[in-house]
Amino acid sequence: MKTSPGDSLNGPRVSRETWAKLEHFCRLFQKWAKSINLVAPSTLDDLWQRHLLDSLQIFHLSPSPKTWVDLGSGGGFPGVITAICLSELSDGWVHLVESNNKKAAFLRVALQETGARGSVHPIRIESAPQMIPRCDAISARALADLTQLLDYSAPWMLQENSKTVAFLHKGRDYQREVDKAVSRFQFDLLKHAGIVEPDSVVLEISNLSRRMK
């Protein structure tokens, strides 16, 4: 495991203070993952490259302080990683939405012990807009297909004068999901090449609207 910002890991660089917090998060993650299913067990040995660096890309695509909503936060990727990066800025906030109580408990501990700027909402995603009326950005990773993610995001993105932008991790089959989604939604799309998995992308979506039936 490479544990220094000066190491030759591919991906965004962070300060030593932030790197130390990321290391602490990974130790917590590995401890909790022994008792609850936070990620696929086959990917645990590649935690840094497969999950952490992949999640860091989200913050580096939009590094200014923002209010984020992270949907289906699960093991904290990318929500806790974004919240740790925001702690360096002393501004911005991440609302982590996770209905599984065991995972939500892990997320609370991770935020507390790393000093990350975030809070956990142990509720269903459909209920989140009632508790979090506005946000600047939305993230999600390994949660649902694009059409479903846009349905989840719509209460924030379709508000009058909304400038909310979604940053959504997708695998190599992303174009099929985009083609399906455009039958129900219109949106502006930027595709950012993934920094870890070949052919993966982060889809940056803005100006969402529903197509008229």
Side-chain angles (χ1 to χ4, degrees), residues 1 17 36 46 63 77 115 130 159 190 204 213:
M1 180 184 297
E17 181 180 357
I36 61 175
D46 200 17
F77 302 115
Q130 301 170 29
Q159 291 179 21
L190 289 175
E204 179 179 342
K213 294 184 179 180

Side-chain angles (χ1 to χ4, degrees), residues 96-112:
L96 297 106
V97 180
E98 176 52 58
S99 62
N100 181 290
N101 287 327
K102 290 182 178 179
K103 292 179 180 179
F106 162 71
L107 294 171
R108 288 192 195 95
V109 171
L111 292 174
Q112 181 179 9

Side-chain angles (χ1 to χ4, degrees), residues 12 15 98 100 102 162 185 209:
S15 71
E98 176 52 58
N100 181 290
K102 290 182 178 179
S162 172
F185 293 97
S209 62

Side-chain angles (χ1 to χ4, degrees), residues 4-208:
S4 166
D7 283 335
S8 57
L9 286 171
N10 294 323
R13 298 301 184 187
V14 299
S15 71
R16 289 188 178 277
E17 181 180 357
T18 296
W19 197 264
K21 292 180 179 181
L22 294 172
E23 286 183 305
H24 185 71
F25 170 77
C26 284
R27 288 192 294 270
L28 278 174
F29 187 98
Q30 290 167 328
K31 177 182 177 180
W32 280 68
K34 294 176 182 178
S35 56
I36 61 175
N37 184 25
L38 295 173
V39 294
S42 61
T43 67
L44 273 174
D45 290 340
D46 200 17
L47 188 61
W48 280 91
Q49 191 81 10
R50 183 77 174 270
H51 297 292
L52 189 141
L53 292 180
D54 199 36
S55 296
L56 268 177
Q57 183 177 10
I58 293 292
F59 178 77
H60 283 265
L61 287 173
S62 187
S64 61
K66 290 179 176 63
T67 298
W68 289 80
V69 171
D70 186 57
L71 302 176
S73 298
F77 302 115
V80 172
I81 306 306
T82 300
I84 288 173
C85 291
L86 287 175
S87 67
E88 186 171 303
L89 304 180
S90 300
D91 200 357
W93 199 258
V94 182
H95 295 278
L96 297 106
V97 180
E98 176 52 58
S99 62
N100 181 290
N101 287 327
K102 290 182 178 179
K103 292 179 180 179
F106 162 71
L107 294 171
R108 288 192 195 95
V109 171
L111 292 174
Q112 181 179 9
E113 293 199 12
T114 60
R117 295 184 61 83
S119 53
V120 181
H121 303 269
I123 56 176
R124 292 179 59 82
I125 292 172
E126 294 85 350
S127 301
Q130 301 170 29
M131 298 188 66
I132 313 160
R134 290 188 176 274
C135 67
D136 303 310
I138 296 167
S139 58
R141 184 173 183 265
L143 177 63
D145 73 7
L146 181 59
T147 303
Q148 182 66 70
L149 290 174
L150 295 180
D151 274 329
Y152 287 150
S153 302
W156 295 286
M157 298 187 75
L158 296 182
Q159 291 179 21
E160 186 175 0
N161 299 320
S162 172
K163 297 186 182 301
T164 303
V165 179
F167 296 87
L168 309 172
H169 280 277
K170 283 293 162 189
R172 64 184 61 188
D173 199 28
Y174 71 89
Q175 190 60 54
R176 179 189 61 80
E177 294 190 32
V178 171
D179 293 342
K180 176 184 174 184
V182 297
S183 67
R184 290 184 52 188
F185 293 97
Q186 291 179 296
F187 47 85
D188 293 338
L189 175 64
L190 289 175
K191 301 175 186 178
H192 303 280
I195 62 174
V196 175
E197 292 292 328
D199 302 322
S200 69
V201 295
V202 175
L203 301 180
E204 179 179 342
I205 294 175
S206 58
N207 297 319
L208 183 72

